[in-house]
Amino acid sequence: MKMKISAALLWVSAIAEAFLAIPFIGGSFVLSTGYAALGFMFILHAVTLFFCFREYSPKSGPILGLITSLLAWFPLIGWALHLLSAIVLFINAAVASRPRI
C-alpha cells in the first residue's frame, strides 16, 4: 500500500520537532542557524498542512507546528512547544499512516 504524502510529511515534521525539543541541542541548533531553522519549520508545517487538507489527514499537528514556529523564539516556551508539537505530530502521523478499511 502506498503512503500518502501528508503522512510522510507528518513523520518528517514530527522527527524534526522532536530533534528541536532536545534540551540544549535543539536550542543550540536554532541559535547556530540564526533562527533560520524556525523559518524552515514554518514552511515545512505550511506545506504539510496543505497536503493534510488535500488528503483529509489530521491537521492539528501542522497547525500547532505553525504556532510553535512563531513562538519558539522564547527559550523555555520554545522547548515546551516543540515537545508538544512533536507529540501531536507523531500521533497525527500514526493516524494518517493507518490503512483505511
Side-chain angles (χ1 to χ4, degrees):
M1 177 169 197
K2 192 167 95 171
M3 182 184 283
K4 296 188 293 186
I5 294 172
S6 60
L9 286 170
L10 285 166
W11 283 112
V12 169
S13 298
I15 293 167
E17 284 291 348
F19 171 74
L20 293 176
I22 299 171
F24 302 110
I25 295 172
S28 297
F29 180 74
V30 170
L31 290 174
S32 71
T33 62
Y35 293 94
L38 296 179
F40 173 80
M41 290 303 294
F42 185 87
I43 293 168
L44 177 62
H45 290 305
V47 170
T48 303
L49 184 61
F50 170 78
F51 281 101
C52 286
F53 272 112
R54 196 170 141 208
E55 298 176 356
Y56 304 106
S57 294
K59 297 158 193 65
S60 55
I63 292 170
L64 183 59
L66 288 169
I67 294 167
T68 297
S69 296
L70 294 174
L71 297 178
W73 302 87
F74 305 104
L76 211 50
I77 294 170
W79 169 77
L81 287 173
H82 283 304
L83 184 61
L84 181 63
S85 294
I87 292 167
V88 173
L89 282 161
F90 275 121
I91 293 169
N92 285 175
V95 168
S97 299
R98 267 192 326 210
R100 302 288 180 227
I101 297 175

